[in-house]
Amino acid sequence: MSTHKKHHSEDSADLDTQMDSEAFDEDIEPILDDEGDAGQAKKDKTAKLKEKLKHCEKEKQQYLDSWQREKAEFLNARKRDEEAKKQAVNFAREDVIISLLPVLDSFEMAFADTKAYNDTPEQWRIGVEQIHAQLLTALESHNVKQISPEGQPFDPAYHEAVDQTLVHEKEKDNTIVEVVQKGYSMNDRVIRSAKVKVGAHTDTSSEKRDEA
């Protein structure tokens, strides 16, 4: 083969190789573009799913918060309702107790009249005392307590002053010197104040100077 023919053959081979390479590039380019579009689509879809998940989580938290608030409100309402029922029962019971207090007052007045009480037959006195004790026990079972504050400082929250009594001892000033009518409390709440006489101190030295 001549040199000229050899060069011509090599040039033809190079041209064919160049043409095949260009053709491959043209064929692969759309494939790469398709892969790029698919990748972007996947990214977009992933981003949308993440956004949707974020929205769902936010919505779930809102529902949870709302449910917890409603649950708390329900429990508070039920607690208030139970407390109201309890108070209603206590007030009804309190009214019954208050209606029995005059009976206790009658016992106290009978016991206070010592001469007349001692003149009655012993068996009768025993029966009366037993009834009185039973009544007190029944009231104590409902947390009812007597208020008999003789010798205690006067407290308007528990006592009702019906009179003042002059006292010469300074330490008895504003102190209860006599209980006219016993008071009563129920569950540590005063249902009837004790009626009392309160001591009012007077300076005896001043009185003596005035007399002189």
Side-chain angles (χ1 to χ4, degrees):
M1 182 182 292
S2 66
T3 303
H4 176 72
K5 285 184 178 180
K6 185 178 180 180
H7 285 306
H8 177 73
S9 176
E10 290 176 355
D11 291 340
S12 297
D14 291 340
L15 180 61
D16 291 340
T17 301
Q18 184 178 354
M19 290 177 64
D20 290 341
S21 178
E22 290 176 354
F24 177 77
D25 290 341
E26 289 177 358
D27 291 338
I28 200 65
E29 218 169 37
I31 295 174
L32 291 174
D33 289 343
D34 289 343
E35 289 182 353
D37 292 342
Q40 186 61 41
K42 286 181 180 179
K43 288 182 180 179
D44 292 343
K45 188 174 182 180
T46 302
K48 287 180 180 178
L49 288 173
K50 287 183 178 179
E51 185 64 29
K52 188 174 182 180
L53 179 61
K54 186 177 179 181
H55 175 75
C56 288
E57 288 177 347
K58 183 178 180 181
E59 194 174 49
K60 181 197 73 174
Q61 189 61 45
Q62 289 175 342
Y63 283 133
L64 180 62
D65 292 343
S66 177
W67 175 79
Q68 288 176 335
R69 283 196 301 271
E70 289 178 1
K71 181 182 178 182
E73 289 174 2
F74 171 76
L75 292 175
N76 288 335
R78 187 168 68 177
K79 187 177 180 180
R80 288 194 299 269
D81 184 56
E82 289 174 354
E83 187 64 27
K85 288 179 180 178
K86 185 178 178 180
Q87 287 183 354
V89 171
N90 286 338
F91 286 142
R93 187 184 303 161
E94 189 176 294
D95 288 340
V96 174
I97 299 299
I98 291 173
S99 69
L100 293 174
L101 297 185
V103 179
L104 285 172
D105 293 338
S106 297
F107 278 105
E108 296 293 338
M109 285 188 289
F111 297 149
D113 190 350
T114 307
K115 185 177 183 307
Y117 188 72
N118 290 333
D119 287 342
T120 58
E122 182 180 359
Q123 287 299 114
W124 185 87
R125 291 199 308 271
I126 292 173
V128 170
E129 290 167 4
Q130 287 179 342
I131 295 171
H132 179 249
Q134 288 176 345
L135 182 55
L136 286 177
T137 300
L139 293 175
E140 286 173 1
S141 69
H142 293 283
N143 296 317
V144 177
K145 297 177 182 178
Q146 284 186 335
I147 301 174
S148 185
E150 186 171 347
Q152 297 178 9
F154 175 72
D155 186 346
Y158 296 92
H159 317 134
E160 178 185 346
V162 294
D163 197 5
Q164 276 192 335
T165 301
L166 295 178
V167 291
H168 300 302
E169 300 89 343
K170 191 173 182 180
E171 60 273 13
K172 289 185 178 181
D173 186 51
N174 201 43
T175 297
I176 296 168
V177 295
E178 183 182 347
V179 178
V180 178
Q181 185 183 69
K182 291 180 180 179
Y184 291 88
S185 67
M186 181 176 178
N187 295 319
D188 298 323
R189 178 175 173 271
V190 176
I191 58 176
R192 191 182 79 178
S193 299
K195 294 182 179 180
V196 299
K197 292 182 180 180
V198 183
H201 177 253
T202 178
D203 191 346
T204 53
S205 59
S206 298
E207 290 179 357
K208 289 179 180 178
R209 283 198 300 271
D210 290 342
E211 289 175 0

